[in-house]
Every structure is written in structure tokens, then in C-alpha cells.
Amino acid sequence: MSNIIGIDIGGTSIEGGRIECGQIISYAKADTQANIGGETTIGVLKGVISQLIDGQTTAIGIGVPSVVNRRTGVVYNVQNIAGWDEVPLKDILEAEFSLPVFVDNDANCFAYGEKIFGKGRDIENFVGVTLGTGLGAGIIHNHRLLSDANCGSGEFGEIPYMNVKLEDYCGSRFFTGRAGRSGYEIAADARKGDSEAIGVFEEYGRHMAFLVKIVMLTLDPEAIIFGGAISKSFDLFEEAIMANLTDFPYPKSVERIKIMRSEQDNSGILGAGALCLTDDRQALSIS
């Protein structure tokens, strides 16, 4: 399959690409309209795919921010899109485009894309964490994407934390709730030396350290790779993460783990596209 579509559905935007020979040759993006959700968001998704598809396209891969029945392609209980409680996405899109459709969790697609194309290529066991509107993670185990029952492994954002849940302190809501501005705006001020903005990211790093501890205690990976919009400010909270791991019960694990930021802008799209190619995660190559 040399011509496939990869779609990354987020709470803010739907992004997609037409992938040929391992490269994104055409890109499209639209507002998810998540507050309206339902058929409106499905219409947005169809519109993005329609901009990308051509007569040579052979399959479509979709990353969705929720749990998924991989076999049937039914999406359940999407937290950030209104009315997406049970959506037979595979059936809807196959009927619309007459092509095979493969659906998985979006964070899984990010981790998968990082394994195929990014910093995870040579790492046997790692966790890819997406930091954006929400907080999700994909797990690569023995060089393969973890095959769990509902695509629900790695939903660390749903863990109760500080009287709410971890996503509220590790996703974009932390910045709007803490400082009334987007993380992007605060990062810009922090890079100018604004002490208040720097302090916001230091506080964010403390919460992120709690996430890192959970990942290490449950999965003990070789590496954690951050992606998503907030990860572009990794340099502003990396030091705070490490400073707040000093009380971790296994210091040697802290010493050995690699915590890094993805350098791939489109790992989610590429990983979603890679769903189309093979079930053999270890041998997969789309070059």
C-alpha cells in the first residue's frame, strides 16, 4: 500500500495526511467542532478525508481520543467530543469512501508513529505520551504496540488527582485554569524571561513528575517520549520534572530512564496511516 490516509482526531482539530512511500505528501486540517460534536464532527472528518483522498488511495487509518473496538471500529465514550458515546466510525467511513478503514486510540497512533519514524525506532519498551487538550499514552512493548482489550491502556489522564483528575493538571486546562491563558502564550512569555510564566511551567513540571512516577511504577519503560502541542515547551518544564523525581523509591530507575520530546510533528498522522499496512508491528516498514 503506497497511498494511504492517516487521520489524527483531537479535541481541538482534526489533522490528516496522504502518505506515500513513508512521506506525508498532502496535509489537511479543520476545527473538530467538539462542542457541537455528533454528526457535525463526523462531517468535519469526512471533509478532511475528502481533501486528501485520490483515485490511488487504498486505505484509511484513524486515531481517536478514546477507547475503541479495534475489530469493529466502534468508538466509545469520547471525552472531548460531544455526542460521541458510541460511534460506528469504521462502518460510517467505509460506506462513505468504499475503502478499508482501521481505527485505534490516538495516543496509540502517536506511539506507533514514534516507533516507526521517530525516537522510538530502536527502543524496545517505551511510552508515548500526548500532551494537548487531553492526556493520553500509547505503550510499545517488545517493539510492538500493546494489544489490549479496549485501547484503554495508558489513559493516565483519567486517574484521580488533586480532587479532579490528572488530565486537568497535565493537559491544556492547567494553563487556562492556572493563569487564564493558553500554554502557548505563557511559553512565549517564559522564553522572554517573565518570572510568573516561568513559575507556571515549573508548577506544571511538578504535576508532570507525578505522571512520570505513575508510568514508571506501572510499566517501568526504557523511555517516555512526549508529543502534542504542550511538548513543544518541554525545555520549560523538563528540569522541574527531574527535580521532583528525587523521592522516587527506585533512584536507579530514574537514573536510567530516558525522558524526551518527539521531534516528529506528525507522528499521530503517520501512526494512524501505519494501521493500514500490517498487523506485524515489529516488522512494519512503509518506506
Side-chain angles (χ1 to χ4, degrees):
M1 294 183 185
S2 61
N3 181 324
I4 54 179
I5 303 296
I7 301 291
D8 184 13
I9 300 177
T12 302
S13 63
I14 297 175
E15 299 181 79
R18 186 166 74 249
I19 304 165
E20 296 185 17
C21 299
Q23 302 293 322
I24 296 175
I25 66 164
S26 181
Y27 172 84
K29 179 179 179 179
D31 189 313
T32 305
Q33 299 195 46
N35 291 336
I36 302 173
E39 291 293 333
T40 298
T41 296
I42 290 173
V44 173
L45 173 59
K46 289 179 179 178
V48 170
I49 295 171
S50 295
Q51 293 180 58
L52 299 168
I53 202 167
D54 66 16
Q56 303 303 312
T57 302
T58 55
I60 302 167
I62 309 286
V64 182
S66 193
V67 294
V68 178
N69 183 318
R70 289 187 177 96
R71 182 181 60 81
T72 64
V74 176
V75 177
Y76 297 98
N77 309 123
V78 181
Q79 299 295 301
N80 294 322
I81 302 177
W84 275 39
D85 298 316
E86 185 173 338
V87 181
L89 202 56
K90 177 181 172 71
D91 288 347
I92 290 171
L93 296 178
E94 287 186 342
E96 179 76 14
F97 296 105
S98 300
L99 290 172
V101 173
F102 302 86
V103 186
D104 209 311
N105 173 268
D106 61 343
N108 286 348
C109 290
F110 163 70
Y112 195 9
E114 201 62 34
K115 177 63 183 174
I116 306 300
F117 302 100
K119 290 185 174 179
R121 286 183 179 183
D122 299 319
I123 303 176
E124 184 176 1
N125 300 291
F126 72 89
V127 177
V129 178
T130 55
L131 304 173
T133 305
L135 165 66
I139 300 164
I140 301 295
H141 179 66
N142 291 338
H143 292 294
R144 298 170 184 259
L145 182 62
L146 184 68
S147 180
D148 52 0
N150 303 295
C151 297
S153 299
E155 291 297 321
F156 300 111
E158 296 300 317
I159 293 174
Y161 179 69
M162 302 282 285
N163 297 318
V164 281
K165 57 185 180 180
L166 194 55
E167 183 173 271
D168 291 285
Y169 283 87
C170 295
S172 62
R173 285 192 294 272
F174 167 76
F175 298 99
T176 54
R178 169 69 172 76
R181 295 183 295 153
S182 70
Y184 177 83
E185 293 171 313
I186 298 169
D189 286 346
R191 297 191 194 287
K192 295 175 183 176
D194 183 276
S195 60
E196 182 177 352
I198 292 170
V200 170
F201 271 99
E202 289 176 348
E203 182 180 342
Y204 179 74
R206 291 197 292 274
H207 299 304
M208 287 294 297
F210 185 83
L211 167 64
V212 169
K213 291 174 185 177
I214 290 172
V215 172
M216 293 178 68
L217 289 169
T218 55
L219 297 167
D220 192 24
E222 297 169 66
I224 298 173
I225 303 175
F226 292 122
I230 300 174
S231 73
K232 294 178 181 179
S233 301
F234 181 56
D235 60 304
L236 297 175
F237 59 88
E238 178 183 10
E239 185 176 337
I241 289 177
M242 300 310 299
N244 285 276
L245 294 180
T246 56
D247 62 347
F248 192 73
Y250 309 112
K252 180 58 70 174
S253 297
V254 175
E255 180 182 319
R256 296 182 64 185
I257 193 167
K258 301 173 183 176
I259 301 176
M260 63 190 89
R261 182 181 79 84
S262 170
E263 294 178 352
Q264 303 293 318
D265 290 333
N266 295 302
S267 285
I269 293 173
L270 292 166
L275 297 174
C276 305
L277 299 175
T278 178
D279 289 329
D280 186 350
R281 311 296 186 180
Q282 187 169 9
L284 183 139
S285 172
I286 69 172
S287 59

